[in-house]
């Protein structure tokens, strides 16, 4: 798995996203401090780090939901803030902490977003995606009737509507049961392998990150403290798994 | 500006109204109640004051027009609030939808609401009080246009404030329009206001509309001067609202408030 990911990178290292010395300062915190990295096509990139490390902030910077204090983001070779519309048409985002209009049916919500992204032949696409996320039996239910996990799946289905080239996911598996979480992981791998979709996601599930990430970026207090394949990061900290790396980092300054 | 994205916004909001009786009621309920109360008050007053200007036309005309302004403003700010309530803002902001397209969509919604309200109040005023608002003639359309423009500018400002200050600013969606009511000289001429308020009224587009309306009722003709002022001021209002909104949007993206939903 990881070997093929690497091989792909060596063969065709097409950079889809570049972050250049991104800094975001809030009143009391430096949430992201001089983050620079490049993400390649077809890569699954896991962002990890303790609560408050800056993962969500970083993702928001990459989506222009947040204006950086300094630094730039370019996606598909275009500067994000100057080509917002063009870029956002080709990426998508889903997160456990956003909802959708609850008084609309599942179908109506999907139609709305399909119209927004100008998805061709959208009825068919919606059918496929709802089936893929296993909520097709809820098509005509009001969105307020969905359980938390079903809502996450709807969010995920929405995020795939426009066949994004980059999929941003903030804790996509947080509210899913183990079986569904596994299905989502398989789905992400499948998207990468068949459509060369790039996935940038956050998670607190270390095993999951180890399992599906081609590469991880480890954040702590806004700093990137490690960037590489899961194996490289484990080696850097001389640990057997990411869980142990995480604990070592989270517990204190005695890194290295 | 992509029309299909504007239509998406319209679709989303119409779907909401399709199923929600309370939301539909809001378009009819208040205007009808207002119309009844004021209609009967004017009928009563007319018994005593036979010699004074035509009360019915003054009051009911004013009421119908005021409601247009209020609905136009609400159409925008309530549509935006719906997105806040449903925590849907992030979905919109990560999509290619531009703020202008979103606002254009809500303008369409507000126009639909305005037309619905206007049809209801106009018909009832005619049936109950035999008041035909079209007796105002062609200027009526220019009055309506100006009130809608002013409603939109206030609506856009309210939206910016809600975006920036969250649901604390929600009261503005309901209350801000009424702040303009006393100085809009809706039910009385500007001349009855104390001098300071007269000066303020002069800067409010709607006061020119209502002055113009009374001019038409009293003397007929075309209130060119009032309409020119109304259009001019509305141009400034819309411009100001646009600037205010983009300023608020910049602040929000600076402070990371989009990620903090609800309150
Ligand atoms: N809008 C904001 N205003 C002020 N400070 C903020 C804002 N958003 C985030 N922060 C601060 O920035 C830091 C990073 O927060 P962020 O939400 O990015 O962390 P995270 O890594 O996503 O954490 P979690 O694992 O808990 O989701 C935190 O210290 C947080 O308090
Ligand atoms: Mg987070």
């Amino acid at each position: 798995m990881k070997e093929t990911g690497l091989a792909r990178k060596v063969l065709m290292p097409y950079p889809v996203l570049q972050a250049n010395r991104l800094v975001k300062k809030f009143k009391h915190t430096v949430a992201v401090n001089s983050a620079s990295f490049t993400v390649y096509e077809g890569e699954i990139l896991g962002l990890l780090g303790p609560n408050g490390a800056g993962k969500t902030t970083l993702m928001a910077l990459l989506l222009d939901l947040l204006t950086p204090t300094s630094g730039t983001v370019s996606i598909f070779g275009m500067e994000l803030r100057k080509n917002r519309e063009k870029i956002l048409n080709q990426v998508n985002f889903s997160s456990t902490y956003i909802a959708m209009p609850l008084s609309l049916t599942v179908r109506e919500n999907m139609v709305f977003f399909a119209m927004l992204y100008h998805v061709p032949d959208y009825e068919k696409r919606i059918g496929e995606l709802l089936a893929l996320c296993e909520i097709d039996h809820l098509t005509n239910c009001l969105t307020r009737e969905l359980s938390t996990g079903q809502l996450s799946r709807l969010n995920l289905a929405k995020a795939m509507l426009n066949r994004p080239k980059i999929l941003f996911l903030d804790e996509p598996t947080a509210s899913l049961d183990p079986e569904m979480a596994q299905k989502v992981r398989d789905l992400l791998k499948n998207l990468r392998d068949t459509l060369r979709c790039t996935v940038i996601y956050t998670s607190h599930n270390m095993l999951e990150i180890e399992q599906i990430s081609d590469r991880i970026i480890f954040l702590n207090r806004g700093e990137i403290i490690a960037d590489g394949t899961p194996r490289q990061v484990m080696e850097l900290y001389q640990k057997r798994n990411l869980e142990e790396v995480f604990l070592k980092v989270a517990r204190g300054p005695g890194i290295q | 500006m992509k029309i299909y994205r504007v239509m998406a916004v319209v679709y989303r909001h119409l779907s909401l109204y399709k199923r929600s009786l309370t939301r539909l009621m809001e378009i009819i309920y208040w205007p009808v109640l207002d119309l009844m109360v004021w209609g009967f008050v004017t009928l009563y007053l007319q018994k005593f004051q036979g010699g004074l200007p035509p009360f019915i036309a003054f009051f009911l005309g004013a009421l119908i027009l005021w409601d247009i302004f209020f609905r136009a403003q609400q159409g925008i700010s309530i549509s935006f609030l719906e997105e806040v309530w449903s925590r849907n803002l992030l979905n919109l902001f990560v999509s290619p939808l531009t703020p202008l397209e979103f606002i254009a969509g809500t303008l369409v919604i507000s126009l639909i609401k305005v037309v619905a309200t206007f049809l209801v109040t106009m018909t009832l005023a005619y049936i109950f009080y035999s008041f035909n608002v079209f007796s105002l003639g062609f200027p009526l359309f220019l009055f309506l246009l100006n009130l809608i423009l002013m409603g939109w500018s206030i609506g856009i400002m309210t939206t910016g404030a809600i975006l920036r200050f969250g649901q604390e600013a929600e009261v503005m969606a309901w209350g801000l329009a009424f702040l303009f009511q006393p100085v809009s000289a809706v039910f009385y001429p500007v001349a009855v206001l104390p001098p300071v308020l007269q000066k303020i009224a002069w800067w409010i587009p709607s006061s020119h509309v209502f002055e113009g309306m009374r001019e038409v009722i009293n003397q007929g003709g075309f209130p060119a001067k009032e309409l020119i002022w109304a259009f001019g001021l509305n141009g400034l209002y819309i411009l100001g609202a646009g600037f205010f909104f983009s300023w608020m949007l910049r602040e929000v993206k600076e402070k990371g408030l989009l990620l903090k939903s609800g309150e």
Side-chain angles (χ1 to χ4, degrees), chain B residues 140-160:
Chain B
L140 171 69
F141 295 98
L142 300 177
F143 294 152
L144 292 178
L145 183 60
N146 269 295
L147 290 170
I148 290 171
L149 287 177
M150 181 176 160
W152 284 352
S153 69
I154 307 296
I156 291 168
M157 255 160 85
T158 315
T159 300

Side-chain angles (χ1 to χ4, degrees), chain B residues 179-226:
Chain B
L179 189 66
F180 285 92
Q181 200 176 30
V183 280
S184 288
V186 184
F187 299 109
Y188 41 78
V190 170
V192 306
L193 291 171
V196 184
L197 289 185
Q198 281 194 30
K199 287 222 169 62
I200 295 175
W202 206 81
W203 290 99
I204 315 281
S206 49
S207 76
H208 295 280
V209 169
F210 291 105
E211 288 286 286
M213 179 195 80
R214 280 181 292 268
E215 197 183 312
V216 173
I217 295 174
N218 278 335
Q219 313 152 23
F222 189 80
K225 197 175 128 238
E226 301 291 0

Side-chain angles (χ1 to χ4, degrees), chain A residues 24 26 64-67 84-85 88-89 97-99 101 103 105 108 112-113 115-118 142 158, chain B residues 4-5 8 11-12 16 18-19 86-88 90-96 98 253-256 258:
Chain A
K24 184 65 199 179
F26 291 115
D64 192 37
L65 294 172
L66 202 59
T67 310
R84 218 173 171 268
E85 223 180 298
L88 292 180
N89 235 324
Y97 55 74
I98 46 179
S103 323
T105 64
E108 285 166 345
F112 165 54
F113 287 106
M115 289 171 81
L116 214 49
Y117 287 96
H118 210 40
L142 285 184
K158 168 247 145 187
Chain B
Y4 60 83
R5 291 201 288 258
Y11 168 84
R12 177 248 188 277
L16 203 58
K18 201 168 71 188
R19 216 169 292 104
S86 61
R87 292 196 290 138
N88 194 35
L90 269 190
N91 281 325
L92 299 183
F93 271 96
V94 298
S95 84
T98 65
K253 282 170 86 168
E254 197 71 44
K255 294 189 194 318
L258 282 174

Side-chain angles (χ1 to χ4, degrees), chain A residues 26 29 31 49-57 171 204, chain B residues 255-257 260:
Chain A
F26 291 115
T29 15
N51 291 133
K55 303 179 293 297
T56 300
T57 306
E171 307 194 28
H204 285 296
Chain B
K255 294 189 194 318
L257 302 176
K260 313 266 171 260

Side-chain angles (χ1 to χ4, degrees), chain A residues 19-134:
Chain A
N20 260 314
R21 295 161 176 255
L22 274 182
V23 177
K24 184 65 199 179
K25 290 183 184 150
F26 291 115
K27 217 189 227 163
H28 307 286
T29 15
V30 183
V32 172
N33 195 3
S34 195
S36 294
F37 54 91
T38 303
V39 186
Y40 297 92
E41 185 182 24
E43 199 169 44
I44 297 186
L45 172 69
L47 298 176
L48 67 157
N51 291 133
K55 303 179 293 297
T56 300
T57 306
L58 180 58
M59 204 171 263
L61 289 169
L62 300 182
L63 284 161
D64 192 37
L65 294 172
L66 202 59
T67 310
T69 310
S70 65
T72 53
V73 176
S74 71
I75 297 183
F76 313 131
M78 299 177 277
E79 198 186 323
L80 175 62
R81 295 184 60 200
K82 294 198 182 109
N83 300 275
R84 218 173 171 268
E85 223 180 298
K86 237 186 246 163
I87 292 169
L88 292 180
N89 235 324
Q90 305 174 60
V91 306
N92 215 319
F93 169 74
S94 144
S95 146
T96 41
Y97 55 74
I98 46 179
M100 272 192 202
L102 297 176
S103 323
L104 265 56
T105 64
V106 168
R107 188 186 158 275
E108 285 166 345
N109 266 318
M110 289 295 277
V111 171
F112 165 54
F113 287 106
M115 289 171 81
L116 214 49
Y117 287 96
H118 210 40
V119 176
D121 197 7
Y122 62 71
E123 292 289 353
K124 185 162 158 264
R125 178 94 183 127
I126 290 170
E128 285 167 7
L129 287 174
L130 293 182
L132 189 67
C133 296
E134 296 179 31

